[in-house]
Amino acid sequence: MTDFIYRAANSQGQVLTGRIGAGDEREALRLLQQQNLVPISIALAVGGAVENVATRKKASSQEKTLAMQELTTLLNAGVPLAEAIESIGVAHTGSAVGGAFTKVLSALRSGERFSEALRASDMEFPSYLFQLAEAGELTGKLGQALDTAVIQMDYEDRMRQEMRNALTYPAILVVSGIAATLLVFIVVVPKFANLLKGDTVNVPLLSKWVIGTGMFVQSNLLWVSLIALALIMGAVVIFRNPVMRSRSFEALVRVPLLGQWIVETEIGRWASLLSALLANRVPIIVAMELALGGVRISDLRNSLQQVLREVRGGARFADALSTNRALGATGINLVRVGERSGELAPMLRALSNLYQNAGRDRMKRFLLLLEPIAILLIGSVIGIIMVAIMLAVTSMNDSVT
């Protein structure tokens, strides 16, 4: 018999904490459910130490998408919100998803709105999910609104997977090239330096640089390794910092080809969210405010904020977009046609598909170029090193003759 410390919600939504004895974790969960308690987390109490099994591993993006898809399916089937959330929490008991949905259920029973309860959970969902949840609450069509969010989340998951797959081979090339370059500097170059025996008068300048670099790396291998490790750790810390991650994202926008793809993806996401909000009968001003919250590029966000001000002041949506150059001519034309025909939401959906398809094609072109560029760069570096060594050998032979 093992003691477990638990946190669970009762039928009134109150969160209780206590200790329960059971043979294993599953038995403890079953005993809690028999007491009409919904487990939030279970901790193994061993010598005063607590191991939280529910939050041991963070949920992946695919798990989050699947959980929201389950919720959307239940809601569209007519299942009440609290019952649907409780069902998902129980089905995923012992996981990060189950713990988060149980917390959402507890917050709902305490009187909080679903969108606010979802924000307060431990799950890091995309911002547009919260905005669509708010829109669904305003219109009473939460299932339809969340369905749009699930489609977008699934699209982004597939894009990330495609990019990860496409970057695998170039990453292997880069790592192999760096390893080969270090091997040449550490093993090959010093041997040629010993052959010169300090006689570098007739050695070309390029050879001196390469040989000197190789000797420096070999002599300070520990410090070079520590510096490289520090740079890698620094990059990881920067990536995990939200502020630095945002700045890095802004810097990527200015990179040729890659930046254009990011802008098109952001416009596509904004148009998709705005279309979903309008389709759910959200007033255009409120919809624009909600959609604006999901824009991460500062320049684009500033332009769309100015568009919002002008629309709030009485200007037509298409005219405001044209004045602030927030979209291209094709996008503005689609919006103008949508305004005139009263079909703005479908036109924005078409605009979203247009930009997302263009962004996907641009990404594929970028990834196709990345592989030969990586091969050329690595080959050039290794080629320069070998040319420098051959020049040094040739100059040594010339000095002997």
Side-chain angles (χ1 to χ4, degrees), residues 9 19 111 123 125 170 172 182 186 192 211 221 264 285 311 328 338 369 393-394:
R19 184 183 291 264
M123 303 283 281
F125 288 109
I172 293 175
L182 289 175
I186 296 171
F192 280 94
I211 293 173
L221 185 59
E264 290 174 345
I285 299 298
V311 172
L369 288 173
V393 173
T394 305

PDB file of all heavy atoms in Angstrom, residues 9 19 111 123 125 170 172 182 186 192 211 221 264 285 311 328 338 369 393-394:
ATOM      1  N   ALA A   9     -11.602  17.803  -7.474  1.00  0.00           N
ATOM      2  CA  ALA A   9     -12.774  18.680  -7.404  1.00  0.00           C
ATOM      3  C   ALA A   9     -14.007  17.840  -7.084  1.00  0.00           C
ATOM      4  O   ALA A   9     -14.205  16.759  -7.657  1.00  0.00           O
ATOM      5  CB  ALA A   9     -12.963  19.417  -8.721  1.00  0.00           C
ATOM      6  N   ARG A  19      -5.004  12.836   1.362  1.00  0.00           N
ATOM      7  CA  ARG A  19      -4.088  11.701   1.211  1.00  0.00           C
ATOM      8  C   ARG A  19      -4.918  10.427   1.081  1.00  0.00           C
ATOM      9  O   ARG A  19      -5.915  10.257   1.783  1.00  0.00           O
ATOM     10  CB  ARG A  19      -3.145  11.620   2.406  1.00  0.00           C
ATOM     11  CG  ARG A  19      -2.079  10.531   2.318  1.00  0.00           C
ATOM     12  CD  ARG A  19      -1.267  10.504   3.597  1.00  0.00           C
ATOM     13  NE  ARG A  19      -0.442  11.679   3.739  1.00  0.00           N
ATOM     14  CZ  ARG A  19       0.841  11.759   3.390  1.00  0.00           C
ATOM     15  NH1 ARG A  19       1.444  10.686   2.893  1.00  0.00           N
ATOM     16  NH2 ARG A  19       1.524  12.857   3.552  1.00  0.00           N
ATOM     17  N   GLY A 111     -18.123  29.611 -11.469  1.00  0.00           N
ATOM     18  CA  GLY A 111     -18.806  30.741 -12.081  1.00  0.00           C
ATOM     19  C   GLY A 111     -18.014  31.482 -13.128  1.00  0.00           C
ATOM     20  O   GLY A 111     -18.495  32.482 -13.679  1.00  0.00           O
ATOM     21  N   MET A 123      -2.345  24.863 -19.787  1.00  0.00           N
ATOM     22  CA  MET A 123      -2.065  24.598 -21.200  1.00  0.00           C
ATOM     23  C   MET A 123      -1.748  25.895 -21.930  1.00  0.00           C
ATOM     24  O   MET A 123      -2.437  26.893 -21.760  1.00  0.00           O
ATOM     25  CB  MET A 123      -3.264  23.920 -21.854  1.00  0.00           C
ATOM     26  CG  MET A 123      -3.687  22.639 -21.179  1.00  0.00           C
ATOM     27  SD  MET A 123      -2.618  21.247 -21.568  1.00  0.00           S
ATOM     28  CE  MET A 123      -3.243  20.830 -23.177  1.00  0.00           C
ATOM     29  N   PHE A 125      -2.197  27.410 -25.028  1.00  0.00           N
ATOM     30  CA  PHE A 125      -2.916  27.376 -26.290  1.00  0.00           C
ATOM     31  C   PHE A 125      -2.597  28.627 -27.103  1.00  0.00           C
ATOM     32  O   PHE A 125      -2.197  29.652 -26.551  1.00  0.00           O
ATOM     33  CB  PHE A 125      -4.430  27.303 -26.053  1.00  0.00           C
ATOM     34  CG  PHE A 125      -4.909  25.976 -25.550  1.00  0.00           C
ATOM     35  CD1 PHE A 125      -5.357  25.834 -24.242  1.00  0.00           C
ATOM     36  CD2 PHE A 125      -4.916  24.863 -26.383  1.00  0.00           C
ATOM     37  CE1 PHE A 125      -5.807  24.606 -23.783  1.00  0.00           C
ATOM     38  CE2 PHE A 125      -5.359  23.633 -25.925  1.00  0.00           C
ATOM     39  CZ  PHE A 125      -5.804  23.506 -24.620  1.00  0.00           C
ATOM     40  N   PRO A 170      19.033  19.183 -44.052  1.00  0.00           N
ATOM     41  CA  PRO A 170      19.979  20.302 -43.949  1.00  0.00           C
ATOM     42  C   PRO A 170      20.645  20.391 -42.582  1.00  0.00           C
ATOM     43  O   PRO A 170      21.827  20.741 -42.489  1.00  0.00           O
ATOM     44  CB  PRO A 170      19.102  21.531 -44.229  1.00  0.00           C
ATOM     45  CG  PRO A 170      17.986  21.020 -45.059  1.00  0.00           C
ATOM     46  CD  PRO A 170      17.717  19.644 -44.537  1.00  0.00           C
ATOM     47  N   ILE A 172      21.346  17.882 -40.569  1.00  0.00           N
ATOM     48  CA  ILE A 172      22.376  16.838 -40.537  1.00  0.00           C
ATOM     49  C   ILE A 172      23.610  17.282 -41.329  1.00  0.00           C
ATOM     50  O   ILE A 172      24.754  17.056 -40.909  1.00  0.00           O
ATOM     51  CB  ILE A 172      21.812  15.521 -41.098  1.00  0.00           C
ATOM     52  CG1 ILE A 172      20.727  14.971 -40.164  1.00  0.00           C
ATOM     53  CG2 ILE A 172      22.913  14.482 -41.283  1.00  0.00           C
ATOM     54  CD1 ILE A 172      20.022  13.746 -40.699  1.00  0.00           C
ATOM     55  N   LEU A 182      35.918  20.857 -37.707  1.00  0.00           N
ATOM     56  CA  LEU A 182      36.654  20.772 -36.449  1.00  0.00           C
ATOM     57  C   LEU A 182      37.683  19.647 -36.480  1.00  0.00           C
ATOM     58  O   LEU A 182      38.797  19.792 -35.958  1.00  0.00           O
ATOM     59  CB  LEU A 182      35.673  20.550 -35.291  1.00  0.00           C
ATOM     60  CG  LEU A 182      34.785  21.743 -34.913  1.00  0.00           C
ATOM     61  CD1 LEU A 182      33.788  21.346 -33.833  1.00  0.00           C
ATOM     62  CD2 LEU A 182      35.635  22.912 -34.441  1.00  0.00           C
ATOM     63  N   ILE A 186      41.574  20.179 -35.826  1.00  0.00           N
ATOM     64  CA  ILE A 186      42.194  19.573 -34.644  1.00  0.00           C
ATOM     65  C   ILE A 186      43.235  18.522 -35.003  1.00  0.00           C
ATOM     66  O   ILE A 186      44.264  18.393 -34.333  1.00  0.00           O
ATOM     67  CB  ILE A 186      41.088  18.943 -33.755  1.00  0.00           C
ATOM     68  CG1 ILE A 186      40.152  20.039 -33.229  1.00  0.00           C
ATOM     69  CG2 ILE A 186      41.692  18.172 -32.590  1.00  0.00           C
ATOM     70  CD1 ILE A 186      38.919  19.503 -32.522  1.00  0.00           C
ATOM     71  N   PHE A 192      50.360  19.397 -40.498  1.00  0.00           N
ATOM     72  CA  PHE A 192      51.039  20.179 -41.539  1.00  0.00           C
ATOM     73  C   PHE A 192      51.835  21.315 -40.921  1.00  0.00           C
ATOM     74  O   PHE A 192      52.886  21.709 -41.450  1.00  0.00           O
ATOM     75  CB  PHE A 192      50.015  20.728 -42.535  1.00  0.00           C
ATOM     76  CG  PHE A 192      49.577  19.717 -43.549  1.00  0.00           C
ATOM     77  CD1 PHE A 192      48.441  18.945 -43.343  1.00  0.00           C
ATOM     78  CD2 PHE A 192      50.302  19.521 -44.718  1.00  0.00           C
ATOM     79  CE1 PHE A 192      48.034  18.002 -44.274  1.00  0.00           C
ATOM     80  CE2 PHE A 192      49.901  18.584 -45.662  1.00  0.00           C
ATOM     81  CZ  PHE A 192      48.757  17.813 -45.437  1.00  0.00           C
ATOM     82  N   ILE A 211      46.296  27.636 -40.755  1.00  0.00           N
ATOM     83  CA  ILE A 211      47.167  26.873 -39.861  1.00  0.00           C
ATOM     84  C   ILE A 211      47.158  27.480 -38.462  1.00  0.00           C
ATOM     85  O   ILE A 211      47.096  26.772 -37.456  1.00  0.00           O
ATOM     86  CB  ILE A 211      48.592  26.807 -40.433  1.00  0.00           C
ATOM     87  CG1 ILE A 211      48.598  25.968 -41.716  1.00  0.00           C
ATOM     88  CG2 ILE A 211      49.565  26.223 -39.412  1.00  0.00           C
ATOM     89  CD1 ILE A 211      49.919  25.974 -42.456  1.00  0.00           C
ATOM     90  N   LEU A 221      41.378  23.728 -26.954  1.00  0.00           N
ATOM     91  CA  LEU A 221      40.195  22.935 -27.277  1.00  0.00           C
ATOM     92  C   LEU A 221      39.151  22.992 -26.165  1.00  0.00           C
ATOM     93  O   LEU A 221      37.940  23.096 -26.429  1.00  0.00           O
ATOM     94  CB  LEU A 221      40.599  21.481 -27.538  1.00  0.00           C
ATOM     95  CG  LEU A 221      39.466  20.539 -28.000  1.00  0.00           C
ATOM     96  CD1 LEU A 221      38.840  21.047 -29.290  1.00  0.00           C
ATOM     97  CD2 LEU A 221      40.011  19.127 -28.181  1.00  0.00           C
ATOM     98  N   GLU A 264       2.985  36.735 -44.842  1.00  0.00           N
ATOM     99  CA  GLU A 264       1.827  36.124 -45.497  1.00  0.00           C
ATOM    100  C   GLU A 264       1.098  35.162 -44.558  1.00  0.00           C
ATOM    101  O   GLU A 264      -0.139  35.095 -44.561  1.00  0.00           O
ATOM    102  CB  GLU A 264       2.275  35.399 -46.765  1.00  0.00           C
ATOM    103  CG  GLU A 264       2.707  36.348 -47.876  1.00  0.00           C
ATOM    104  CD  GLU A 264       3.276  35.617 -49.078  1.00  0.00           C
ATOM    105  OE1 GLU A 264       3.599  34.420 -48.940  1.00  0.00           O
ATOM    106  OE2 GLU A 264       3.421  36.238 -50.127  1.00  0.00           O
ATOM    107  N   ILE A 285     -16.491  45.623 -35.453  1.00  0.00           N
ATOM    108  CA  ILE A 285     -15.522  46.316 -34.603  1.00  0.00           C
ATOM    109  C   ILE A 285     -14.969  45.374 -33.542  1.00  0.00           C
ATOM    110  O   ILE A 285     -13.754  45.303 -33.312  1.00  0.00           O
ATOM    111  CB  ILE A 285     -16.170  47.558 -33.943  1.00  0.00           C
ATOM    112  CG1 ILE A 285     -16.639  48.556 -35.015  1.00  0.00           C
ATOM    113  CG2 ILE A 285     -15.186  48.222 -32.990  1.00  0.00           C
ATOM    114  CD1 ILE A 285     -15.517  49.108 -35.865  1.00  0.00           C
ATOM    115  N   VAL A 311     -12.113  52.499 -39.307  1.00  0.00           N
ATOM    116  CA  VAL A 311     -13.414  51.830 -39.429  1.00  0.00           C
ATOM    117  C   VAL A 311     -14.325  52.261 -38.289  1.00  0.00           C
ATOM    118  O   VAL A 311     -15.529  52.495 -38.489  1.00  0.00           O
ATOM    119  CB  VAL A 311     -13.233  50.298 -39.449  1.00  0.00           C
ATOM    120  CG1 VAL A 311     -14.583  49.591 -39.381  1.00  0.00           C
ATOM    121  CG2 VAL A 311     -12.487  49.868 -40.701  1.00  0.00           C
ATOM    122  N   GLY A 328      -2.356  43.621 -49.986  1.00  0.00           N
ATOM    123  CA  GLY A 328      -2.088  43.850 -51.391  1.00  0.00           C
ATOM    124  C   GLY A 328      -3.357  44.155 -52.153  1.00  0.00           C
ATOM    125  O   GLY A 328      -4.472  44.117 -51.613  1.00  0.00           O
ATOM    126  N   GLY A 338     -16.572  41.698 -50.869  1.00  0.00           N
ATOM    127  CA  GLY A 338     -17.308  41.136 -49.747  1.00  0.00           C
ATOM    128  C   GLY A 338     -18.187  42.161 -49.063  1.00  0.00           C
ATOM    129  O   GLY A 338     -19.318  41.858 -48.655  1.00  0.00           O
ATOM    130  N   LEU A 369      15.778  25.685 -51.413  1.00  0.00           N
ATOM    131  CA  LEU A 369      17.040  26.416 -51.584  1.00  0.00           C
ATOM    132  C   LEU A 369      18.002  26.178 -50.425  1.00  0.00           C
ATOM    133  O   LEU A 369      19.221  26.277 -50.594  1.00  0.00           O
ATOM    134  CB  LEU A 369      16.760  27.919 -51.705  1.00  0.00           C
ATOM    135  CG  LEU A 369      16.108  28.398 -53.004  1.00  0.00           C
ATOM    136  CD1 LEU A 369      15.754  29.872 -52.894  1.00  0.00           C
ATOM    137  CD2 LEU A 369      17.041  28.171 -54.183  1.00  0.00           C
ATOM    138  N   VAL A 393      51.904  23.347 -48.455  1.00  0.00           N
ATOM    139  CA  VAL A 393      52.781  22.251 -48.886  1.00  0.00           C
ATOM    140  C   VAL A 393      53.552  22.642 -50.134  1.00  0.00           C
ATOM    141  O   VAL A 393      54.771  22.400 -50.257  1.00  0.00           O
ATOM    142  CB  VAL A 393      51.947  20.982 -49.126  1.00  0.00           C
ATOM    143  CG1 VAL A 393      52.801  19.879 -49.733  1.00  0.00           C
ATOM    144  CG2 VAL A 393      51.325  20.496 -47.818  1.00  0.00           C
ATOM    145  N   THR A 394      52.861  23.281 -51.070  1.00  0.00           N
ATOM    146  CA  THR A 394      53.514  23.706 -52.313  1.00  0.00           C
ATOM    147  C   THR A 394      54.605  24.718 -52.035  1.00  0.00           C
ATOM    148  O   THR A 394      55.713  24.655 -52.605  1.00  0.00           O
ATOM    149  CB  THR A 394      52.473  24.310 -53.269  1.00  0.00           C
ATOM    150  OG1 THR A 394      51.426  23.371 -53.476  1.00  0.00           O
ATOM    151  CG2 THR A 394      53.109  24.644 -54.592  1.00  0.00           C
TER     152      THR A 394
END
